Amino acid sequence: MNVGVCYAQADRQLWLRLEVPDNCTVEKTIHLSGLLVHCPEIDLSKQKVGIFGKIAKLDATVQDGDRVEIYRQITADPAQVKRRRINESAQP
């Protein structure tokens, strides 16, 4: 099966396509991609993962054509960011 694995860092996005065996799990797919070697900051015990924008468990089975996503921790409070944008746009 052909699947993709992606991870966005603050300064770049990584997206890899790879062949995985049938009945491969999300966790196994991530390991096979090699992303954990290139991005040692990824901690699958703490970070959420998903398939096409929907949260998934590490033991979920991937399907041909799926995009497995590794989500990083939020570094800013979304409400605070929204307030800052509103304040910046209100200034002359």
Side-chain angles (χ1 to χ4, degrees):
M1 293 187 306
N2 191 312
V3 298
V5 179
C6 63
Y7 176 64
Q9 296 173 317
D11 58 341
R12 65 183 174 143
Q13 295 178 357
L14 303 169
W15 187 23
L16 306 168
R17 304 271 320 150
L18 65 147
E19 289 288 327
V20 298
D22 290 344
N23 299 315
C24 197
T25 64
V26 169
E27 184 173 22
K28 182 70 173 173
T29 300
I30 292 169
H31 282 284
L32 290 173
S33 75
L35 264 178
L36 299 178
V37 174
H38 295 289
C39 303
E41 72 275 10
I42 296 173
D43 183 351
L44 294 178
S45 67
K46 294 180 181 176
Q47 289 174 251
K48 294 187 185 290
V49 297
I51 299 173
F52 286 122
K54 289 189 166 195
I55 299 294
K57 294 184 178 186
L58 290 171
D59 63 354
T61 304
V62 297
Q63 304 297 317
D64 188 43
D66 277 354
R67 183 184 65 227
V68 175
E69 303 161 338
I70 304 167
Y71 306 120
R72 58 188 167 99
Q73 299 293 335
I74 295 176
T75 57
D77 176 12
Q80 185 70 15
V81 171
K82 185 176 180 180
R83 271 187 241 117
R84 190 177 315 134
R85 285 185 185 150
I86 291 170
N87 290 338
E88 287 173 359
S89 66
Q91 295 181 11

